[in-house]
Amino acid sequence: EVQLVESGGGLVQPGHSLRLSCTTSGFNFGAYTMNWVRQAPGKGLEWVGYVRVKGYGEAKEYAASVQGRFTISRDDSRSVAYLQMTSLKTEDTATYFCNPEYPHSRGYFQYWGQGTLVTVSS
Amino acid sequence: DIQMTQSPSSLSASVGDRVTIACRASQDIVNSLAWYQQKPGKLPILLIYSASTLQSGVPSRFSGSGSGTDFTLTISNLQPEDVATYYCQKYNGAPLTFGGGTRVEIK
């Protein structure tokens, strides 16, 4: 059974940093691109970015809204993905989900964790 | 970047109706399109991928069609449990953009 557990969310002041973790199990973590998707309260889904697998150099891509501020990484030995968020803005307030491209490696998301809420406010 | 535009943003229909939701890409994405359902307070569920392939376990009243830039999600015989917001998503390369969503309600 695929399990995704996002953690690390909380209340943070604008301009500050936060690191989210996504602990996974139930699939071969190292074989799949890991994405982060967010959803602001009452709003739609927004793709944040991804980190590809080691075989593709762990290449990363980001949405324009977070480029230069957010960094995605992965630890295949621990089956964990990370989202390092810096220079946070109030508009980054959202629930953050991690999504593996498992099992089809195509870029759509069959599995969703419960997410972790990040609130950026002074 | 390719933009994904859904229409309408919301709709109200009766139980048993046929409902159609449109998703338009600003450039050709071939068939690299997925549809998700998100019920109030719940996580998104993958309904369809490759524009028209029904995800395992999804009721057959859901169907997808289209290619290139114009895509459609159809719910035939709308049921009360279909009340949700529906999102399209393109995945033919980054950014993996979602549409703005279509809220479906029962009249």
Side-chain angles (χ1 to χ4, degrees):
Chain A
E1 179 191 4
V2 172
Q3 293 197 332
L4 308 167
V5 178
E6 299 92 343
S7 61
L11 175 63
V12 61
Q13 293 183 330
H16 287 214
S17 300
L18 202 61
R19 189 178 82 157
L20 308 183
S21 300
C22 170
T23 302
T24 76
S25 62
F27 67 103
N28 182 7
F29 178 85
Y32 295 93
T33 295
M34 291 298 298
N35 292 259
W36 286 90
V37 173
R38 69 183 180 182
Q39 187 168 35
K43 302 299 184 182
L45 301 169
E46 180 186 16
W47 176 77
V48 173
Y50 68 50
V51 56
R52 300 192 75 178
V53 299
K54 198 176 296 291
Y56 283 92
E58 297 189 10
K60 304 168 180 68
E61 294 282 353
Y62 300 95
S65 58
V66 307
Q67 180 78 47
R69 300 187 300 121
F70 289 12
T71 303
I72 298 173
S73 60
R74 62 190 300 152
D75 183 342
D76 291 353
S77 68
R78 300 177 61 202
S79 299
V80 178
Y82 300 99
L83 177 63
Q84 177 70 49
M85 304 183 293
T86 64
S87 302
L88 281 161
K89 306 175 181 180
T90 56
E91 53 263 41
D92 295 319
T93 294
T95 296
Y96 286 75
F97 302 98
C98 67
N99 302 88
E101 291 185 15
Y102 171 81
H104 298 127
S105 295
R106 295 289 307 281
Y108 50 84
F109 311 126
Q110 183 173 335
Y111 295 97
W112 297 74
Q114 290 300 312
T116 187
L117 177 62
V118 173
T119 303
V120 184
S121 174
S122 54
Chain B
D1 292 346
I2 297 174
Q3 307 303 313
M4 304 301 294
T5 304
Q6 284 184 238
S7 61
S9 57
S10 65
L11 65 89
S12 181
S14 299
V15 172
D17 281 356
R18 182 183 182 91
V19 168
T20 300
I21 298 169
C23 178
R24 173 165 287 180
S26 60
Q27 298 176 38
D28 187 348
I29 60 169
V30 191
N31 71 336
S32 297
L33 188 96
W35 289 96
Y36 300 85
Q37 175 194 66
Q38 187 176 30
K39 296 182 179 181
K42 301 296 185 182
L43 298 174
I45 294 172
L46 176 66
L47 297 177
I48 287 168
Y49 57 91
S50 298
S52 61
T53 302
L54 199 65
Q55 170 66 15
S56 176
V58 173
S60 59
R61 63 180 180 275
F62 291 92
S63 64
S65 64
S67 66
T69 61
D70 291 297
F71 302 88
T72 300
L73 173 69
T74 299
I75 311 172
S76 62
N77 190 20
L78 185 70
Q79 296 299 300
E81 60 265 33
D82 300 334
V83 169
T85 300
Y86 294 84
Y87 298 93
C88 62
Q89 179 221 347
K90 67 83 128 173
Y91 54 86
N92 68 327
L96 309 184
T97 310
F98 288 90
T102 297
R103 179 178 294 183
V104 174
E105 299 176 337
I106 299 293
K107 195 180 293 184

